Amino acid sequence: PQALMSVLFLAVEGGSFFVAAFNLVVPIVQIALAELLFEPVRTAAVPALGKRLNRAMKSGNAVAAKALWEEAEIMEDMQLFGLFLPHLTFFLDVAKRCGFMSEELKDLDKLGNKELETLQHMAAVFAGQAYCNLRDRKIGNSSAKVVAEALKSSTTETLYLHDNEIGDQGAEALAASLKSNGSLERLDLHSNNIGDRGAEALAAS
């Protein structure tokens, strides 16, 4: 708007055509360069940001993890998360230790959109995103164990895990983590395979 006003002013008052054109062209070039360079610059920043996010997750620094996750807008772009994933070694180690996607995680480049999206939403719990939705993914006890590890320090407030074939083992893992979690306000576990043992563990937490 300022560039356009300056051009109109010069047209009315008289003045150098070169100056008027320059005032109009410079902002256009700046906008075009910003559009062209945004993706390359963001991609170049991934390794450094990924390492910082990984350190925050590993140390249980919920404030730093959440800030980095939101700053990078990882939840808004699944392809961007795919670039971050190899640097999130703590998250990947927890997933492997819990037996979650053991085979798929051997080669991250071969992950499909469905697997990548599930990992994205699961990593969001580690990053302390306020609202996390992992419902209806049929990912079983192993996924619940991964999420349980995240909940030990996560600042997530709402977590949907229904329709995931979670049984007593997964429920017990979640119950144990809830004893040290002071942030979670809503945990939705309906339509799973949780029996009396798992229900009692959750009730006691």
Side-chain angles (χ1 to χ4, degrees):
Q2 288 179 324
L4 185 58
M5 290 301 295
S6 65
V7 171
L8 291 173
F9 176 79
L10 286 169
V12 174
E13 299 294 327
S16 169
F17 174 78
F18 174 77
V19 172
F22 184 78
N23 284 336
L24 189 60
V25 168
V26 168
I28 294 173
V29 172
Q30 288 175 328
I31 293 169
L33 285 174
E35 289 290 331
L36 288 171
L37 295 176
F38 176 74
E39 284 299 331
V41 169
R42 187 170 69 162
T43 300
V46 164
L49 281 173
K51 289 177 182 177
R52 288 172 59 193
L53 179 57
N54 185 63
R55 284 196 299 269
M57 288 180 173
K58 187 175 182 178
S59 65
N61 188 339
V63 174
K66 185 176 182 180
L68 287 164
W69 183 268
E70 292 178 349
E71 176 187 342
E73 298 181 345
I74 300 172
M75 206 63 207
E76 309 301 322
D77 188 334
M78 192 167 64
Q79 289 185 334
L80 178 63
F81 173 73
L83 296 175
F84 267 90
L85 187 58
H87 304 285
L88 304 181
T89 55
F90 173 70
F91 167 63
L92 292 172
D93 288 344
V94 170
K96 291 173 184 176
R97 189 169 69 246
C98 294
F100 182 71
M101 288 191 184
S102 301
E103 291 301 315
E104 293 88 338
L105 293 179
K106 290 179 180 179
D107 190 346
L108 300 180
D109 291 332
K110 292 184 179 179
L111 289 172
N113 287 340
K114 185 177 180 180
E115 290 87 359
L116 198 59
E117 184 181 32
T118 296
L119 290 167
Q120 181 186 32
H121 284 268
M122 196 170 286
V125 185
F126 279 82
Q129 181 172 287
Y131 174 92
C132 294
N133 186 357
L134 276 159
R135 66 187 176 194
D136 196 23
R137 294 179 185 272
K138 307 296 187 288
I139 43 185
N141 284 322
S142 59
S143 70
K145 292 176 182 178
V146 177
V147 172
E149 285 294 317
L151 288 176
K152 290 177 180 179
S153 59
S154 176
T155 56
T156 293
E157 298 170 4
T158 300
L159 176 59
Y160 287 97
L161 286 171
H162 59 267
D163 291 298
N164 272 312
E165 299 179 355
I166 295 170
D168 286 337
Q169 287 186 7
E172 287 174 330
L174 290 167
S177 69
L178 291 175
K179 292 177 181 178
S180 60
N181 180 290
S183 300
L184 194 66
E185 299 174 358
R186 178 183 174 88
L187 174 61
D188 192 332
L189 283 166
H190 78 264
S191 301
N192 279 294
N193 302 324
I194 299 172
D196 291 342
R197 197 181 77 210
E200 288 172 4
L202 287 166
S205 65

